[in-house]
Amino acid sequence: MQTLNIVKIGGSIANNEDRLPTFLDNFVAMDHPKILVHGGGSSASDLCKKLGIPIQMKDGRRITDKPALDVAVMVYAGLLNKKIVAKLQGRSTNAIGLSGADLNIIPAKKRNHPTIDFGFVGDITAEDVNTYFIKRLLDEQVVPVFPAITHDTQGQLFNTNADTIASVLAIALSDRYQSTLTYCFEKQGVLRDINDEESWIEEIDHDKYIQLKDEGIIHEGMIPKLDTAFEALQQGVHQVNIKHADNLLNLRGTKLTP
Amino acid sequence: MQTLNIVKIGGSIANNEDRLPTFLDNFVAMDHPKILVHGGGSSASDLCKKLGIPIQMKDGRRITDKPALDVAVMVYAGLLNKKIVAKLQGRSTNAIGLSGADLNIIPAKKRNHPTIDFGFVGDITAEDVNTYFIKRLLDEQVVPVFPAITHDTQGQLFNTNADTIASVLAIALSDRYQSTLTYCFEKQGVLRDINDEESWIEEIDHDKYIQLKDEGIIHEGMIPKLDTAFEALQQGVHQVNIKHADNLLNLRGTKLTP
């Protein structure tokens, strides 16, 4: 099967006018077909602060109320997404920004939690992703660019974790492509020693992951990302890479395998 | 040829949570193929005020500096566009939000004015519009929704007048469709007497337009909109309607013909 590269970047790149151009130079050098998924990091919270919109917390978890959702849609699906699309066009890459509402590609369900109402946060599954138009666009060498916004198909937009969007897209498209999912973040990879950037582990399969967790080598912050990654591998994704954005085109970083 | 309905709404509807649902109920009742173009009205200026971004004016004309452009992209291409797309999905209409940068559909040139630098304002022509993907989407009964944002193909986004976007799309697509352009605004149509809502003129051809301007019956505010409309008619658009949004599905309003 043909390889599909799905790359996810966080707000530290998407919202950084110094780092974004270098990343995009590397991204356009990757083979088609490819998809970019971006978070917005703290950029939405920053705008909330400027607008005097209080950040709602419950039991230490962030709540997305209506004003916070509007800001997320403005920043993620608006400013960051369109800037990335325009910069890709400027690099002769025919990109299209697609929220989960556009073409109804990513239907979501409002997060249902026993004790916390997270507000306008959408949970998604690979089964619900509508891949028809994505495949048509990829066939035309178009590069879809997804912000962390989905919808409930009834008219309500949601904020949805960008790591999860990248993962469900990779799973949903693995019926036709050898999906390779690359999570770019601030470290060289999964580190044996959090204080040693050079201690990145080359390859981790699921057994080794369990073992590293038991040994306490994989620190808490990484666990949700790695759980998402291994779930993707169990559902048909060919490979997941966790690496620093600067290493997009080289082999430095941690390769996860089933 | 098949009729293509291109409807333009301003911020008074796009940004009005009471009026937008009624408009969208009417819009979804229109036959395919169809395209929606929306402005943002004062919503971007309102956000600029909240953010303490001064509105730059030169010789009484508004200048779009970088902070103002960012706000326009956030509000028009982000919040308003995605809310409209989600609400159309909620009405079982498969919509897609497309700025001029997405799929490089509307390339623009920075406005070149002898005395005023308007900032990040893009001027566009029908010849430059890339209709390939629009036609493919219309063939699939997808409804494209365009905000007032374009790009220069080199990575720079622009703010572009929504009336003009609707007009150049109608012209560019008139090779394949009988394009009907409908401008929704706050009046019942072109009025003989600005103070009499019932004085709307049923039909105006170009000769009558010249005559009405000479007689001073058509007031200044309407002239740019009507000039754009008659230019569209001269360039192959079949019909232009100017009417109140509430009359989208009936015949009330002014019909412009070549």
Side-chain angles (χ1 to χ4, degrees), chain A residues 95 97 102-103 132 136 140, chain B residues 82 95 97 102-103 132 136 140:
Chain A
D102 297 294
L103 297 169
Y132 173 76
R136 297 284 298 274
E140 302 265 5
Chain B
K82 294 315 165 198
D102 297 295
L103 297 169
Y132 173 76
R136 298 282 301 272
E140 301 265 5

Side-chain angles (χ1 to χ4, degrees), chain B residues 225-241:
Chain B
K225 193 181 283 285
L226 288 172
D227 284 344
T228 304
F230 279 105
E231 196 189 327
L233 288 166
Q234 280 149 33
Q235 293 185 55
V237 173
H238 178 63
Q239 189 181 311
V240 180
N241 304 308

Side-chain angles (χ1 to χ4, degrees), chain B residues 167-235:
Chain B
S167 169
V168 300
L169 288 171
I171 295 164
L173 290 160
S174 59
D175 64 336
R176 176 164 161 188
Y177 302 96
Q178 202 171 61
S179 300
T180 297
L181 183 55
T182 301
Y183 288 122
C184 296
F185 77 144
E186 297 317 294
K187 305 279 177 194
Q188 293 295 314
V190 179
L191 305 180
R192 283 197 166 279
D193 172 0
I194 183 79
N195 302 313
D196 177 6
E197 269 297 315
E198 293 308 306
S199 69
W200 48 277
I201 303 164
E202 282 198 6
E203 186 164 343
I204 305 175
D205 63 18
H206 193 261
D207 294 346
K208 189 168 177 185
Y209 174 49
I210 303 300
Q211 178 203 325
L212 288 165
K213 273 200 293 192
D214 294 344
E215 293 169 3
I217 287 170
I218 289 176
H219 66 287
E220 275 189 10
M222 284 299 294
I223 290 173
K225 193 181 283 285
L226 288 172
D227 284 344
T228 304
F230 279 105
E231 196 189 327
L233 288 166
Q234 280 149 33
Q235 293 185 55

Side-chain angles (χ1 to χ4, degrees), chain A residues 47 51 70 74 78-79 82-83 85-86 89-90 94-95 97 101-104 132-133 136 140 142 151 153-155, chain B residues 47 51 70 74 78-79 82-83 85-86 89-90 94-97 101-104 132-133 136 140 142 151 153 155:
Chain A
L47 184 56
L51 291 169
D70 284 357
M74 285 197 284
L79 191 61
K82 295 314 165 197
K83 277 188 174 178
V85 167
Q89 294 290 354
N94 196 9
D102 297 294
L103 297 169
N104 189 29
Y132 173 76
F133 283 106
R136 297 284 298 274
E140 302 265 5
V142 171
H151 77 142
T153 76
Q154 302 306 304
Chain B
L47 185 56
L51 292 169
D70 283 356
M74 284 197 285
L79 191 61
K82 294 315 165 198
K83 275 188 177 180
V85 167
Q89 294 290 354
N94 196 8
I96 181 171
D102 297 295
L103 297 169
N104 188 29
Y132 173 76
F133 284 106
R136 298 282 301 272
E140 301 265 5
V142 171
H151 77 141
T153 76

Side-chain angles (χ1 to χ4, degrees), chain A residues 38-58:
Chain A
H38 65 89
S42 60
S43 47
S45 316
D46 295 346
L47 184 56
C48 282
K49 276 198 203 83
K50 285 185 193 165
L51 291 169
I53 296 169
I55 288 163
Q56 305 287 341
M57 303 289 287
K58 181 125 188 270

Side-chain angles (χ1 to χ4, degrees), chain A residues 90-205:
Chain A
R91 288 162 171 77
S92 305
T93 294
N94 196 9
I96 181 172
L98 292 170
S99 77
D102 297 294
L103 297 169
N104 189 29
I105 288 175
I106 314 177
K109 290 183 177 54
K110 189 175 186 300
R111 179 164 297 170
N112 184 359
H113 186 280
T115 60
I116 306 171
D117 178 355
F118 284 90
F120 299 105
V121 172
D123 288 324
I124 59 178
T125 66
E127 296 68 39
D128 290 337
V129 173
N130 294 307
T131 61
Y132 173 76
F133 283 106
I134 309 178
K135 289 171 180 172
R136 297 284 298 274
L137 289 164
L138 293 174
D139 287 342
E140 302 265 5
Q141 305 254 303
V142 171
V143 177
V145 181
F146 287 89
I149 299 296
T150 60
H151 77 142
D152 71 351
T153 76
Q154 302 306 304
Q156 179 61 56
L157 294 162
F158 287 134
N159 195 174
T160 293
N161 178 279
D163 284 356
T164 311
I165 288 176
S167 169
V168 299
L169 287 172
I171 295 164
L173 289 160
S174 59
D175 63 336
R176 176 163 161 189
Y177 302 96
Q178 204 172 60
S179 300
T180 296
L181 182 56
T182 300
Y183 287 121
C184 297
F185 76 143
E186 298 317 294
K187 304 279 177 193
Q188 293 295 314
V190 179
L191 305 180
R192 285 199 164 276
D193 172 2
I194 184 76
N195 302 314
D196 176 7
E197 268 297 317
E198 293 306 306
S199 69
W200 48 278
I201 305 166
E202 283 199 3
E203 186 164 345
I204 305 175
D205 63 17

Side-chain angles (χ1 to χ4, degrees), chain B residues 9-258:
Chain B
I9 54 171
S12 58
I13 297 167
N15 193 39
N16 183 324
E17 300 213 344
D18 301 322
R19 293 187 63 194
L20 183 59
T22 312
F23 167 79
L24 292 176
D25 289 339
N26 293 331
F27 178 73
V28 298
M30 295 179 89
D31 293 335
H32 288 278
K34 55 192 168 185
I35 291 172
L36 182 60
V37 180
H38 64 89
S42 60
S43 48
S45 314
D46 295 347
L47 185 56
C48 283
K49 279 200 203 83
K50 285 186 192 164
L51 292 169
I53 297 169
I55 288 161
Q56 305 285 341
M57 304 289 287
K58 181 124 188 272
D59 304 351
R61 312 282 290 271
R62 187 181 172 159
I63 309 303
T64 304
D65 57 5
K66 190 178 176 308
L69 176 70
D70 283 356
V71 167
V73 173
M74 284 197 285
V75 173
Y76 302 160
L79 191 61
L80 298 182
N81 188 261
K82 294 315 165 198
K83 275 188 177 180
I84 290 168
V85 167
K87 287 176 193 294
L88 285 171
Q89 294 290 354
R91 288 162 171 79
S92 305
T93 294
N94 196 8
I96 181 171
L98 293 170
S99 77
D102 297 295
L103 297 169
N104 188 29
I105 287 176
I106 313 177
K109 290 182 176 55
K110 189 175 186 300
R111 180 165 297 169
N112 185 358
H113 186 282
T115 60
I116 306 172
D117 178 356
F118 284 90
F120 298 105
V121 172
D123 287 325
I124 59 178
T125 66
E127 296 67 41
D128 291 337
V129 173
N130 294 308
T131 61
Y132 173 76
F133 284 106
I134 308 178
K135 289 171 179 171
R136 298 282 301 272
L137 289 165
L138 293 174
D139 287 343
E140 301 265 5
Q141 306 256 302
V142 171
V143 176
V145 180
F146 288 89
I149 300 295
T150 60
H151 77 141
D152 72 351
T153 76
Q154 303 305 306
Q156 180 60 57
L157 294 162
F158 287 134
N159 195 175
T160 294
N161 177 278
D163 284 357
T164 311
I165 288 176
S167 169
V168 300
L169 288 171
I171 295 164
L173 290 160
S174 59
D175 64 336
R176 176 164 161 188
Y177 302 96
Q178 202 171 61
S179 300
T180 297
L181 183 55
T182 301
Y183 288 122
C184 296
F185 77 144
E186 297 317 294
K187 305 279 177 194
Q188 293 295 314
V190 179
L191 305 180
R192 283 197 166 279
D193 172 0
I194 183 79
N195 302 313
D196 177 6
E197 269 297 315
E198 293 308 306
S199 69
W200 48 277
I201 303 164
E202 282 198 6
E203 186 164 343
I204 305 175
D205 63 18
H206 193 261
D207 294 346
K208 189 168 177 185
Y209 174 49
I210 303 300
Q211 178 203 325
L212 288 165
K213 273 200 293 192
D214 294 344
E215 293 169 3
I217 287 170
I218 289 176
H219 66 287
E220 275 189 10
M222 284 299 294
I223 290 173
K225 193 181 283 285
L226 288 172
D227 284 344
T228 304
F230 279 105
E231 196 189 327
L233 288 166
Q234 280 149 33
Q235 293 185 55
V237 173
H238 178 63
Q239 189 181 311
V240 180
N241 304 308
I242 298 190
K243 55 168 52 184
H244 194 286
D246 296 348
N247 298 319
L248 188 64
L249 300 179
N250 66 44
L251 293 173
R252 281 178 72 98
T254 301
K255 180 167 115 179
L256 307 179
T257 50

